[in-house]
Amino acid sequence: TRMKMKNIELFDGYTAEIFAGLYRTFPIKGAIDARNLSGHFETDEFGTIINGKGAKSHEFEVARSTIEWLYDTGYIRGDEPSEYGISRAVLSPMGLAVLKAAPESLSASSTVGERLSQLLQSGATDAAKDLIKTALASGITASIKAGLS
């Protein structure tokens, strides 16, 4: 089913997985590997990550680019992103704030990070993607407001 997904849908899913993983292990730093996110590990003779059909893995490219975007925009910190992902990754204060927020739509006792972990563990990936979209939008809105004041 991932083959037919648009980039933004892949991005939402990968972001949900990354945030849930970093939230679970916070504040311990760890690696995020785009090969694990995409499920594509094999390389061709040039070292390019390929899919099951032997073609360049689009999913891997989106996963790697998602990691870079989260790093470049300040949601995660770590070593400079490399060929396969990022090492020593941890949620930034902004990333943690997004995940610690308790949106009105959730019970006050459940944070975005906790809910995200629950949704992914139960296999509710569409709900996890929707939650991450809302959380990122609120985080971006808050940082814009902070920048304007």
Side-chain angles (χ1 to χ4, degrees):
T1 57
R2 278 197 169 165
M3 299 302 263
K4 295 176 185 149
M5 285 189 187
K6 294 180 178 149
N7 287 5
I8 196 71
E9 292 170 329
L10 289 168
F11 169 86
D12 290 339
Y14 295 150
T15 300
E17 288 182 51
I18 291 166
F19 274 11
L22 292 178
Y23 189 79
R24 272 193 303 273
T25 60
F26 189 82
I28 298 167
K29 295 177 180 175
I32 306 169
D33 193 320
R35 294 171 294 189
N36 291 334
L37 290 170
S38 68
H40 296 161
F41 300 90
E42 293 200 36
T43 58
D44 64 15
E45 64 271 24
F46 305 108
T48 303
I49 300 292
I50 55 173
N51 62 24
K53 296 177 181 170
K56 183 177 180 179
S57 171
H58 178 72
E59 292 80 7
F60 170 79
E61 288 300 315
V62 174
R64 192 174 55 73
S65 295
T66 298
I67 294 165
E68 287 177 4
W69 187 86
L70 292 171
Y71 176 83
D72 290 345
T73 54
Y75 283 102
I76 61 175
R77 289 184 173 166
D79 294 340
E80 189 77 27
S82 66
E83 186 180 6
Y84 297 126
I86 188 171
S87 54
R88 297 174 40 80
V90 67
L91 288 168
S92 70
M94 183 170 75
L96 186 61
V98 165
L99 295 181
K100 286 186 90 168
E104 293 168 17
S105 61
L106 300 176
S107 67
S109 63
S110 181
T111 65
V112 173
E114 290 163 353
R115 186 77 186 117
L116 197 55
S117 290
Q118 293 164 356
L119 290 170
L120 288 173
Q121 286 172 353
S122 69
T125 52
D126 287 343
K129 287 179 194 176
D130 288 342
L131 180 59
I132 210 66
K133 281 185 227 174
T134 305
L136 281 176
S138 66
I140 290 167
T141 302
S143 67
I144 290 169
K145 284 180 183 170
L148 294 176
S149 59

